[in-house]
Amino acid sequence: MKSPLLVCCVISLLCYVSSYIRMPVVPKLAIDLGISTVGIGRINAVFFLTAGLLAFPLGRLSDLVGKKQVAMGGLLSLSAGSLVLAFSSTFLQLASGYVLVGIGMAAFGSAMMSLITDLAAPARLGRAYGWYTLTLYAGMSFGPAIGGILAGEMALSRVLLLSALLTALVTGIAKFSLPSTTAARHSQDHHRAAGSAMKALLRNRPLLGCWLATFGACFSMGMFLTFYPLYAYADGFNTSHVGIVFLFHGAGNGLVRLPSGYFSDHVGDRRSLVLFGLAGCSLAMAILGMANTLVLANIGAAALGLSLGVAFPSLGATIGEVVPRHLRGAAMGGFNACIFLGMLANAMLMGMAIEAIGYSNCFWLSALVNGVLAGLALVLLRGMRKERCPMT
């Protein structure tokens, strides 16, 4: 990896570590404030909805004003969100903090993924996304672990204040070290031919396939992240068992991303890895639906992590290949929107479905939804070679 890409990976790692310190802290703070489980769910929904709705417009903004500027704006919003959370004492204040966090994640995630595409050589897109998503996922894993340890040693508000200060520090580091690229410009004739950014992207069938595949995979991931702990506790598992299951998921997801990215650059057709990963997601959901033992649960969780780790570097690289440079920020914004909205859709729909058909059947239903969306995505991706856009 060349140094600009390495800098992006380090900045991303630091961002997600400092921001995700809040993850185990905010629910405990909400409980201490007397907020109900339903209220805590609504606070999380505020985050997913804000990030999902703003990822595309903020990604498009990064095309117009520059990726570095929008990424830094996202870091500032993340820092402000943690600061609001640190001084929150009501449901509304916590929700307001999560609005700022949602804005920050939408801006930073969309801008950085697009920046990676701009900096990476076309023949190395897969491995670039392998490295980037590996460091991103590491930050999402280490951050909550650090937050949980700190929460046992100091007041919750101080942990959140530390998160805000660390994220502000990352903003300063990004200011001086993050590579900047010139906002891409294109002629008026090209602009008239393509129409608005959204219309141009909606005509790009391979891109729509990537978005649809991402939504389906994250619908499955949302089922695991949101409802598996409740399913496990209902089956008699304890907190240690659930922690082990999530460890297997994280290990599978993180370890495979780099080799998957390298293989993606050499396989000749990234769609095969996307197909393999999406099929694995459905299989993992089916295994988890039958998991009445710790061994089977670990297998299902590891299979889900491996499948996501195989599919996502190829999805990111494919978007970089099929979208012209002046629309990459918007395209990556749509990609991030599908991540957040996929998990939000599962949390909202499966929460109601569980009451009617139970946890196990809802895991099977999630597998079916992902399978149907994967089939539609692959139909759209069939024209990828013919519709591939120039890299600049």
Side-chain angles (χ1 to χ4, degrees), residues 111-372:
M112 288 296 289
M113 292 199 74
S114 178
L115 182 58
I116 291 293
T117 307
D118 289 350
L119 294 172
R124 295 175 176 265
L125 274 175
R127 69 197 73 181
Y129 275 107
W131 277 106
Y132 178 75
T133 57
L134 174 61
T135 54
L136 180 154
Y137 201 85
M140 293 171 63
S141 300
F142 289 133
I146 294 171
I149 294 171
L150 293 175
E153 302 294 331
M154 63 178 72
L156 300 179
S157 59
R158 291 187 177 181
V159 178
L160 292 168
L161 184 59
L162 178 62
S163 174
L165 293 174
L166 289 175
T167 310
L169 178 61
V170 176
T171 307
I173 296 173
K175 168 68 175 176
F176 294 103
S177 62
L178 194 65
S180 58
T181 56
T182 305
R185 304 184 183 278
H186 51 286
S187 66
Q188 285 189 326
D189 290 339
H190 182 84
H191 181 74
R192 283 196 296 266
S196 67
M198 178 59 84
K199 289 181 179 178
L201 294 176
L202 290 178
R203 288 198 295 266
N204 189 321
R205 288 169 58 88
L207 173 63
L208 295 181
C210 290
W211 283 355
L212 202 58
T214 303
F215 185 92
C218 290
F219 189 88
S220 294
M221 185 166 62
M223 184 68 196
F224 175 73
L225 295 177
T226 304
F227 296 112
Y228 175 75
L230 302 177
Y231 176 41
Y233 295 144
D235 262 3
F237 287 18
N238 59 38
T239 53
S240 297
H241 292 151
V242 173
I244 292 171
V245 172
F246 274 88
L247 177 62
F248 271 81
H249 168 75
N253 201 328
L255 292 176
V256 78
R257 286 181 179 261
L258 187 56
S260 172
Y262 273 81
F263 186 66
S264 174
D265 288 332
H266 295 92
V267 72
D269 188 349
R270 303 185 200 275
R271 290 173 297 183
S272 59
L273 289 177
V274 173
L275 171 61
F276 185 78
L278 296 177
C281 284
S282 287
L283 177 61
M285 286 290 102
I287 294 172
L288 288 167
M290 299 183 292
N292 55 3
T293 67
L294 181 60
V295 172
L296 197 57
N298 287 336
I299 292 173
L304 180 61
L306 289 168
S307 300
L308 293 170
V310 167
F312 271 66
S314 289
L315 284 170
T318 298
I319 292 174
E321 288 178 330
V322 302
V323 176
R325 181 171 181 173
H326 70 276
L327 291 177
R328 283 180 191 153
M332 290 301 179
F335 177 74
N336 279 277
C338 289
I339 292 175
F340 293 120
L341 295 178
M343 291 189 286
L344 176 63
N346 188 285
M348 295 177 63
L349 297 175
M350 293 298 109
M352 296 182 291
I354 285 170
E355 296 182 357
I357 62 176
Y359 286 108
S360 182
N361 288 329
C362 282
F363 274 95
W364 283 91
L365 182 57
S366 296
L368 177 62
V369 170
N370 176 65
V372 171

Side-chain angles (χ1 to χ4, degrees), residues 20 22 43-52 98 101-102 105 340:
Y20 270 64
R22 76 179 189 278
I43 291 171
N44 284 324
V46 165
F47 164 73
F48 284 126
L49 187 61
T50 301
Y98 260 39
V101 172
M105 282 297 171
F340 293 120

